[in-house]
Amino acid sequence: MTAGNDGSWRSAREALKALQALDVVETGHGHGAYVGRAPLTPLVDGLVPPGSPFTVIAPSWG
């Protein structure tokens, strides 16, 4: 990234660290970030307000 994006890069890095601590993403030096193994239902349930017209459908990973 360019020097002008330092603030954005730092914010994204901190967000990835927080998600990694929750096991939502897995990161590896030089390998990028991947979806982790933690169930996302509690996270999503906190984002969808009660009584919302939206329904959360969890995928089946078999």
Side-chain angles (χ1 to χ4, degrees):
M1 299 197 101
T2 63
N5 291 333
D6 283 346
S8 297
W9 175 241
R10 287 185 185 130
S11 296
R13 191 174 189 179
E14 289 300 315
L16 282 173
K17 284 182 184 180
L19 292 172
Q20 184 178 16
L22 296 171
D23 202 26
V24 173
V25 297
E26 297 175 4
T27 61
H29 183 70
H31 297 288
Y34 300 89
V35 175
R37 302 213 178 264
L40 298 178
T41 305
L43 178 66
V44 173
D45 287 345
L47 297 173
V48 179
S52 171
F54 300 103
T55 303
V56 178
I57 301 172
S60 172
W61 299 107

